[in-house]
Amino acid sequence: MTATTSSDVRAPTHRFGALSRLLQRSEAAQGYALLSPVMIIMFAVLAAPLVLLALYSLWTQVGFTVDRTFTLDRYADAFTRDTYRELFLRTLWVSSLVTITTVLIAYPVAYYVVFHVKRNKFVWLVLLTIPFWTSYLLRIFAWKIVLGYGGVINASLMRVGIIDAPLEFLLYNPTAVVITLAHAYATFAILPIYVSLEKIDRSLLEAAADLGDGPWRRFWRITLPLSMPGVIAAAVVIFVPTTGDYVTPALLGGPKGVMIANMIQLQFGKINDWPMGAALAMSSIAMVAIITVFFVWALRYATGRIR
Amino acid sequence: MSEQAYIDIVGVTKRFAGGVKAVDNANLGIKRGEFFSLLGPSGCGKTTLLRMIAGFEFPSEGEIRIDGQNVEGVAANYRPTNMVFQSYAIFPHLNVRDNVAYGLRKDRLSRSELNKRVDEALNMVKLQGFGARQSSQLSGGQRQRVALARALIKRPKVLLLDEPLSALDKKLREEMQFELRQLQQNVGITFVFVTHDQEEALSLSDRVAVMFSGKILQVAGARQLYESPSSRAVADFIGSINFFPGVVKGIEGQEIVVEAEGLGLLRAPIAAGTGGASFKPGSAILVAIRPEKLSLSVEPPPGNAITVKGTVLTSAYLGDRSHYHVRIPGREAPVAVSGTQSARSLDVLHAHGTDIYLSVSGSSVILLPPD
């Protein structure tokens, strides 16, 4: 550090001089630089396979080889064949049921923590994540034990003498799938609803009381509408992953509880018709995308009115 | 309390968890159609008292009667009161019209009757044509008007206002004060107004209750509060004032003789005594003088005003008046003096360290019990 002139200070001497100058000057460049690690992963493991999937969905399986002429026949199959249509509808039905059940279970819990827990709210929130402390698979097996033919529920009910034979509607059907998924996603639903309830200004509820509303009317006219953003966010968070869930229906659903994801897996596996599997996967993505757009629009609408 | 009181607050105490007394044995009678203010520093219990009238809090002891009805155990939604909240509490998911109509929906009015009432209410607060606005598009003053219309549309027996003007800027606040007073005179509803702003309370109200750490110290009109406060705390809270501790020497005719710190022997009319100050010779007494009652002069003033010699420490020019601090012998704290335009013509006052005569007429003195 002997002769530091002004020109020395200004001109960067390290190799990335030009790049760092660019980054300093442009906020957009900085943003892309920060995004790049994620972007690289997204392209490598998401966009590229997706392109491949899209290509496959336009091809045809002939015996053990694939005919690469473009055709929309697979999509026609996906939408017209009864098996697939039934699976799509069942997936929508089960996912909606899971979403509704979960929100209905989660709302009172979030409401209780927000309005009735006075101290240590944070402890409550941490306790609500306990189901996540064990793996997803273990939880599914746990439900199997609870709902099974000789499981906890059936055995206790029989011991007490309320039923003579095990209840069969508990396991290996859509009910089991709904129960298990609702439990798995409950925490995801509680948190956004909690946040939107917590944000409600208490003086609004007092104002409603002051203007003559009892507790029920206050809930319908103030609390529920103002917590709708949380409810819709919860619905998206539950609905989207549920449509693609394949482990739970495979293990607990039985023949009547199979969903579209199980069929896609079959196409890529035993049936060995990759183009058909790809077409089903693409259709499933499109279905979820359309419904999500609707949810996002609803969320915008709900939050736009609350500010 | 009195027979004709519209809101009767009898021995009301409110204890919060931990034993803190937010309101301590409050007794108050508010008359029908009165503009009544609860004034005090923050944390004095005025808002708690208001919330007990509204039904958001319930007294630990004592009772509240509104129009002769004991409201003990009556929830807020069944009380004949409506409130304007400090934050206005405008429902964010409803437009102005729906906000104003909120309290009427339950009454199952016909559509035309409902619309008529809403329009009336909007007119009353000068918000005609704003019905379709979303609450996020409203300014602070407009939000306040919506809150007023929403409460008044219920035609309550009592309108409760919790510092409704504190969120507005000074100019708007003065405008709204005027409008609020006019509105109250037009609708004739009893207003109970909570504020920590003494100017606001004095200028708006028929009567003011001054509260201090849960206790009601004095209930009186603006003039009486200012001219004859009943205690040191009230005198100190309302406006500014100089205190001179003293001792009663005796009574001569209609006058009482007091020896006060820095003022020496002075005579004041017996009527100057407020708050039950004892005039027994030898008892301690507090002489209180408002800054604007004191006058300054270069020559000793003629007549028999109480006069002491002092020196000007500081002076501040405030436009319509000037503030001075004057040091007088025998007293540590300087005396605050407020002079209007005429007194200021003496340029000499602006020079610090000037010798000056400080005088006050005996009838302008307030004699208070010591603490």
Side-chain angles (χ1 to χ4, degrees):
Chain A
M1 297 300 275
T2 44
T4 310
T5 66
S6 60
S7 65
D8 278 332
V9 174
R10 225 175 274 157
T13 46
H14 53 86
R15 283 194 294 154
F16 302 111
L19 184 61
S20 89
R21 239 176 305 153
L22 175 73
L23 284 181
Q24 272 161 23
R25 223 171 282 151
S26 154
E27 259 184 51
Q30 267 179 31
Y32 287 124
L34 287 172
L35 273 178
S36 59
V38 170
M39 295 288 260
I40 289 165
I41 291 176
M42 293 282 253
F43 271 112
V45 307
L46 203 71
L50 210 56
V51 170
L52 208 60
L53 197 69
L55 283 174
Y56 257 108
S57 72
L58 298 170
W59 296 341
T60 315
Q61 185 84 31
V62 185
F64 287 104
T65 55
V66 169
D67 173 9
R68 297 192 174 176
T69 12
F70 282 2
T71 166
L72 288 173
D73 289 354
R74 301 291 81 71
Y75 286 100
D77 281 354
F79 292 122
T80 52
R81 296 246 310 257
D82 284 349
T83 327
Y84 301 142
R85 218 172 40 200
E86 197 188 317
L87 281 175
F88 273 122
L89 288 178
R90 185 188 295 159
T91 304
L92 275 181
W93 168 241
V94 170
S95 303
S96 309
L97 220 57
V98 170
T99 307
I100 292 166
T101 313
T102 316
V103 169
L104 286 182
I105 295 171
Y107 201 100
V109 177
Y111 188 92
Y112 178 80
V113 177
V114 169
F115 290 102
H116 295 286
V117 175
K118 300 284 177 236
R119 283 180 298 163
N120 298 332
K121 278 188 190 182
F122 184 71
V123 173
W124 273 79
L125 291 181
V126 172
L127 289 179
L128 289 174
T129 66
I130 282 185
F132 289 97
W133 297 6
T134 53
S135 89
Y136 181 35
L137 217 53
L138 281 180
R139 268 180 283 147
I140 293 174
F141 279 111
W143 274 110
K144 217 167 177 167
I145 293 167
V146 173
L147 302 172
Y149 206 69
V152 178
I153 292 179
N154 278 326
S156 349
L157 288 179
M158 277 164 72
R159 175 70 59 87
V160 179
I162 294 172
I163 51 169
D164 298 326
L167 299 171
E168 290 184 5
F169 64 87
L170 287 177
L171 195 57
Y172 302 124
N173 56 32
T175 316
V177 177
V178 172
I179 292 175
T180 309
L181 288 176
H183 169 243
Y185 287 111
T187 308
F188 289 124
I190 290 171
L191 290 177
I193 297 173
Y194 171 87
V195 170
S196 67
L197 284 173
E198 185 70 46
K199 275 205 308 208
I200 297 176
D201 184 351
R202 298 299 189 275
S203 65
L204 295 178
L205 296 169
E206 287 188 344
D210 189 61
L211 294 166
D213 278 357
W216 279 105
R217 280 174 163 273
R218 288 205 287 277
F219 178 76
W220 281 113
R221 300 180 72 187
I222 306 293
T223 314
L224 189 62
L226 290 178
S227 62
M228 274 324 273
V231 170
I232 294 165
V236 176
V237 169
I238 300 158
F239 186 85
V240 173
T242 307
T243 51
D245 197 280
Y246 118 92
V247 184
T248 306
L251 292 176
L252 301 177
K256 287 270 175 219
V258 172
M259 293 183 17
I260 194 68
N262 305 95
M263 177 52 80
I264 295 170
Q265 189 252 347
L266 271 181
Q267 297 288 350
F268 281 99
K270 277 184 191 145
I271 297 175
N272 194 28
D273 188 346
W274 284 34
M276 191 63 231
L280 289 175
M282 292 303 289
S283 312
S284 177
I285 289 171
M287 180 180 83
V288 172
I290 290 168
I291 292 171
T292 309
V293 165
F294 167 76
F295 272 127
V296 169
W297 172 80
L299 184 66
R300 278 246 181 98
Y301 180 75
T303 48
R305 294 182 48 154
I306 303 161
R307 212 160 259 153
Chain B
M1 268 191 137
S2 59
E3 283 294 308
Q4 70 271 45
Y6 196 53
I7 304 173
D8 244 347
I9 293 166
V10 187
V12 167
T13 295
K14 176 68 186 178
R15 258 182 236 99
F16 282 122
V20 185
K21 273 188 190 173
V23 175
D24 190 357
N25 191 24
N27 289 289
L28 206 57
I30 299 170
K31 293 181 202 133
R32 180 184 218 123
E34 194 172 27
F35 198 124
F36 193 92
S37 287
L38 296 171
L39 173 67
S42 58
C44 72
K46 56 192 191 299
T47 297
T48 308
L49 187 55
L50 190 79
R51 288 171 61 81
M52 285 195 281
I53 301 174
F56 299 129
E57 310 276 0
F58 293 92
S60 313
E61 282 165 35
E63 66 176 51
I64 296 172
R65 282 194 295 268
I66 301 172
D67 197 9
Q69 297 246 308
N70 187 348
V71 291
E72 188 179 344
V74 178
N77 44 324
Y78 294 111
R79 293 203 182 185
T81 59
N82 282 112
M83 183 142 157
V84 175
F85 290 80
Q86 185 170 14
S87 61
Y88 309 142
I90 304 297
F91 303 126
H93 55 304
L94 303 177
N95 65 19
V96 168
R97 231 189 146 70
D98 289 336
N99 259 288
V100 173
Y102 191 95
L104 291 186
R105 297 272 184 222
K106 224 174 97 174
D107 300 347
R108 308 213 180 282
L109 300 172
S110 70
R111 179 168 285 272
S112 60
E113 170 73 5
L114 183 82
N115 282 336
K116 209 185 95 208
R117 292 271 296 268
V118 174
D119 287 333
E120 264 172 28
L122 287 175
N123 282 346
M124 194 155 57
V125 295
K126 300 176 184 164
L127 277 182
Q128 48 272 69
F130 279 83
R133 289 268 184 109
Q134 283 300 319
S135 56
S136 54
Q137 297 169 300
L138 298 176
S139 70
Q142 288 164 345
R143 295 170 83 82
Q144 213 242 335
R145 286 159 197 264
V146 174
L148 259 173
R150 189 177 68 178
L152 284 171
I153 201 170
K154 294 277 287 173
R155 296 176 182 161
K157 288 182 171 175
V158 181
L159 186 74
L160 307 169
L161 302 105
D162 185 7
E163 307 224 13
L165 305 176
S166 62
L168 305 179
D169 59 61
K170 191 169 184 290
K171 191 127 190 176
L172 197 57
R173 193 161 64 226
E174 278 163 11
E175 231 176 272
M176 283 308 298
Q177 279 176 14
F178 177 71
E179 272 185 39
L180 214 55
R181 181 71 207 181
Q182 272 203 319
L183 193 66
Q184 195 266 338
Q185 280 162 355
N186 289 341
V187 295
I189 290 172
T190 310
F191 276 33
V192 182
F193 185 91
V194 157
T195 181
H196 65 268
D197 183 332
Q198 41 163 309
E199 248 177 67
E200 201 167 278
L202 296 185
S203 66
L204 283 173
S205 327
D206 296 315
R207 284 192 306 153
V208 178
V210 181
M211 287 187 75
F212 239 84
S213 52
K215 290 195 170 71
I216 295 174
L217 295 186
Q218 190 174 6
V219 182
R223 174 178 291 271
Q224 203 193 338
L225 275 184
Y226 192 81
E227 305 286 349
S228 358
S230 67
S231 64
R232 184 191 177 122
V234 174
D236 205 14
F237 186 69
I238 310 273
S240 46
I241 198 154
N242 298 295
F243 291 115
F244 304 85
V247 179
V248 178
K249 287 289 163 196
I251 298 178
E252 288 177 11
Q254 287 304 300
E255 287 185 326
I256 164 168
V257 183
V258 175
E259 175 155 26
E261 178 194 279
L263 298 176
L265 274 180
L266 61 90
R267 290 159 185 278
I270 287 176
T274 58
S278 163
F279 296 151
K280 270 217 306 249
S283 54
I285 202 159
L286 200 60
V287 177
I289 306 172
R290 298 275 180 202
E292 76 280 0
K293 308 279 186 191
L294 288 157
S295 37
L296 298 174
S297 53
V298 182
E299 298 295 325
N304 53 0
I306 302 158
T307 306
V308 282
K309 225 174 155 183
T311 49
V312 175
L313 275 185
T314 61
S315 65
Y317 182 87
L318 297 178
D320 58 343
R321 70 214 128 89
S322 288
H323 278 179
Y324 310 97
H325 278 125
V326 178
R327 157 103 53 229
I328 57 172
R331 182 185 153 94
E332 209 171 312
V335 180
V337 181
S338 175
T340 49
Q341 201 66 35
S342 54
R344 275 194 314 216
S345 57
L346 302 155
D347 281 2
V348 69
L349 295 182
H350 301 289
H352 299 170
T354 321
D355 280 339
I356 212 79
Y357 287 95
L358 193 61
S359 59
V360 60
S361 93
S363 59
S364 298
V365 161
I366 303 164
L367 297 175
L368 291 169
D371 295 307

